[in-house]
């Protein structure tokens, strides 16, 4: 990839001002354009901020001299909606947006959401289900032969055959169903420029088969000269879940740009989907170049009357300092999308962004976050990765930190100190999450001391996810004892600050490997901590994660061991209710779960009990109207019992403080849940 830095030095970017890209023919006319090179159709509203993938891709193309127009959230019921900028000279780009459209639309219980943070005013329904496929089909109704290149997380994670949770079936590559010509998967800065240059040279899109980070279709394999891996055919994997699991794990082991092979999957008669190895990671200089482009850092003014775009408020004053993650959590798609090799920006680039923030009238002095997928990763996990790649069958942190792991927070500490010293910056927070097992591998207290002193706003959120080692093993997370050791260390270091600051754990219910036994163990652990989590995440089987493969097949693809997986909505509801057992609305579900699993010892008035005895009013938490007075009395008794339990059996000072702080906050909101 030609370095953007060279272009900056040569003055080739002087033409670019901080203005939005064209969204109408009038905008094109104002720029003196008769035709766009690319028309970019996206499922989100148009936000020109580097936390939004379409903004980065469009600005990168612009920096290489290509004319890009934006059609955001077209009316998918009207084919004219994709024609408002006319026919592009080189092709269409399509992205569902920053989220998979189905995750955006549905809860884990497959219920329609009512709020879309990526749409004007949070209004739901401005994009279709399976948005990438729908938009491509809409384009094909008018433009039969124009190249279509799809990207973004929806296309990236569906690039080969995949399990689709919402239809509960295995689907072919999105390339087939969409009718697109190419997928630019992963972080697409390298591949999209190479694709654009190839099309600009006059090459037919069907001949663009050589670019790393792309997936294409072919009717034969005669053109493949290098070695490749032949995956099982689509017809095979839909017939046998073991075959699906083995195929998926082959894909999982071929996500590194240095060692991955070309993957071939036959999807139907005389049609193959071919995945080239991933694109190389961006260098530090390239990362700086990407984030120095002239983003307006705002949503388009057309959304002002509708209340703007809610998602922007969460990240407008946050700074991306890294990409990639070597954490390797099973339920996370980062391995497939961003990869395991950490890519970082220089201190100078990040400080320049902070100084630009300070000049904005709305900036209040607080940088909300400095991080990425994992905030405290600022370099590759070991020195060999940038030349030899990551280990294919070994993780950096799981089950224990690798002996070759480079553990060093010094660069991140220095960066945070430099940001705190920027005139106009009052506070620098870390909200994107830290990897606590990586912290524990660092024997130096400097980072955690600075974290406690300067970078927490009352609470530190970390993600142990569960306390059962059986479940943690399937999650790719460290043993529970590592989290307990982290809590002790955090408490020791935080006590020196003299501040009341708390650890709030993210917990997940119904992950593969979690039986009701493990769910009850987690509820007992929460009981002993003396607080009820305000938020619980049900495991969500999104495309192309190890955990989703376990959910669908019943096998751990790493070992091919059978794995128990909660599948029914009712069992998932019980597991979730157990984590929030003090919520009166969960009483019937909790009682049913305890009785089914012969844990009546947890029903009673003793401090070890989760709930008091009371007759279930109906099925699975849907109580009948009978004995309404009795149920009200039972609720009152349950509140009194739980309150006593909290006061008398709190074994963790840190978690006790969390409870106190949480209740104060709830009281102020008129939602006091203290029992």
């Amino acid at each position: 990839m030609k370095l953007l830095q060279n272009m900056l030095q040569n003055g080739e970017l002087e033409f670019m001002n901080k203005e939005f890209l064209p969204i109408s023919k009038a905008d094109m006319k104002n720029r003196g354009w008769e035709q766009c090179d690319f028309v970019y159709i996206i499922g989100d509203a148009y936000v020109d901020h580097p936390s939004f993938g379409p903004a980065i891709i469009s600005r990168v193309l612009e920096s290489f001299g290509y004319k890009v127009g934006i059609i955001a959230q077209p009316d998918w019921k009207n084919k004219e909606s994709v024609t408002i900028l006319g026919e592009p000279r080189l092709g269409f780009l399509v992205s569902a947006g920053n989220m998979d459209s189905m995750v955006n639309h549905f809860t884990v219980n497959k219920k329609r959401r009512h709020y879309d943070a990526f749409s004007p005013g949070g209004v739901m329904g401005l994009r279709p289900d399976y948005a990438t496929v729908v938009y491509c089909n809409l384009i094909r109704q008018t433009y039969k032969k124009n190249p279509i290149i799809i990207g973004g997380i929806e296309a990236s994670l569906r690039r080969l055959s995949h399990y689709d949770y919402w239809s509960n079936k295995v689907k072919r590559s999105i390339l087939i169903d969409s009718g697109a010509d190419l997928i630019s998967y992963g972080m697409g800065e390298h591949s999209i420029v190479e694709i654009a240059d190839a099309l600009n040279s006059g090459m037919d899109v069907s001949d663009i088969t050589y670019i790393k980070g792309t997936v294409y279709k072919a009717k034969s394999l005669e053109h493949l000269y290098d070695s490749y891996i032949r995956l099982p055919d689509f017809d095979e994997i839909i017939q046998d879940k073991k075959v699906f699991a083995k195929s998926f794990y082959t894909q999982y082991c071929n996500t590194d740009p240095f060692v991955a092979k070309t993957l071939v999957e036959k999807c139907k008669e005389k049609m193959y989907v071919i995945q080239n190895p991933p694109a190389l990671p961006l260098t530090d200089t390239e990362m700086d170049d990407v984030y120095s482009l002239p983003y307006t850092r705002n949503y388009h003014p057309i959304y002002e009357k509708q209340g703007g775009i809610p998602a922007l408020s969460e990240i407008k004053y946050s700074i991306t300092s890294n990409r990639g993650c070597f954490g390797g959590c099973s339920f996370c798609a980062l391995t497939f999308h961003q990869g395991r090799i950490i890519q970082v920006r220089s201190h100078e680039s990040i400080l320049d962004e902070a100084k630009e923030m300070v000049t904005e009238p709305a900036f209040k002095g607080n940088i909300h976050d400095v991080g990425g997928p994992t905030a405290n990763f600022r370099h590759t996990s070991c020195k060999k990765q940038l030349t030899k790649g990551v280990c294919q069958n070994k993780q950096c942190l799981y089950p224990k930190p690798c002996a070759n792991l480079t553990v060093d927070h010094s660069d991140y500490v220095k960066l945070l100190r430099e940001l705190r010293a920027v005139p106009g910056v009052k506070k620098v927070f870390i909200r994107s999450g830290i990897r606590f097992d990586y912290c524990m591998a660092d024997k130096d207290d400097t980072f955690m001391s600075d974290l406690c002193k300067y970078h927490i706003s009352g609470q530190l959120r970390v993600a142990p996810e569960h306390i059962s080692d059986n479940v943690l093993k399937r999650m790719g997370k460290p043993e529970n004892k590592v989290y307990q050791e982290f809590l002790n260390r955090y408490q020791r270091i935080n006590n020196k600050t003299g501040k009341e600051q708390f650890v709030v754990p993210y917990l997940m219910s119904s992950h593969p490997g979690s039986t009701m036994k493990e769910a009850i163990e987690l509820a007992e652990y929460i009981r002993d901590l003396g607080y009820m989590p305000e938020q619980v995440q049900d495991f969500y089987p999104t495309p192309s994660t190890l955990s989703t493969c376990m959910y669908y097949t019943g096998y751990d693809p790493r070992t091919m061991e059978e794995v128990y997986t909660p599948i029914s909505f009712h069992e998932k509801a019980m597991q979730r209710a157990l984590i929030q057992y003090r919520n009166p609305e969960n009483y019937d579900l909790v009682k049913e779960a305890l009785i089914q699993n012969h844990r009546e010892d947890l029903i009673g008035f003793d401090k070890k009990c989760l709930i008091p005895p009371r007759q279930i009013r109906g099925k699975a938490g849907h109580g009948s109207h009978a004995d309404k007075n009795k149920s009200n009395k039972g609720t009152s008794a349950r509140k009194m019992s739980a309150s006593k339990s909290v006061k008398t059996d709190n074994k963790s000072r840190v978690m006790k403080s969390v409870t106190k702080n949480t209740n104060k906050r709830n009281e102020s909101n008129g939602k006091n849940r203290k029992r």
Side-chain angles (χ1 to χ4, degrees), residues 161 170 172 221 230-240 243-244 247 264-272:
S161 296
V170 176
R172 302 176 300 184
L221 304 178
R230 178 75 182 264
L231 299 172
D233 294 352
F234 177 74
D235 290 340
E236 294 178 66
I237 67 170
I238 62 174
Q239 296 296 328
D240 190 332
V243 173
F244 178 98
S247 178
V264 174
E265 182 181 73
K266 186 177 181 181
C267 57
K268 58 183 181 179
E269 190 64 30
K270 295 184 179 180
M271 182 60 71
Y272 299 89

Side-chain angles (χ1 to χ4, degrees), residues 242-253:
K242 278 190 175 181
V243 173
F244 178 98
K246 291 176 180 177
S247 178
F248 176 82
Y249 194 57
T250 300
Q251 298 170 44
Y252 187 83
C253 293

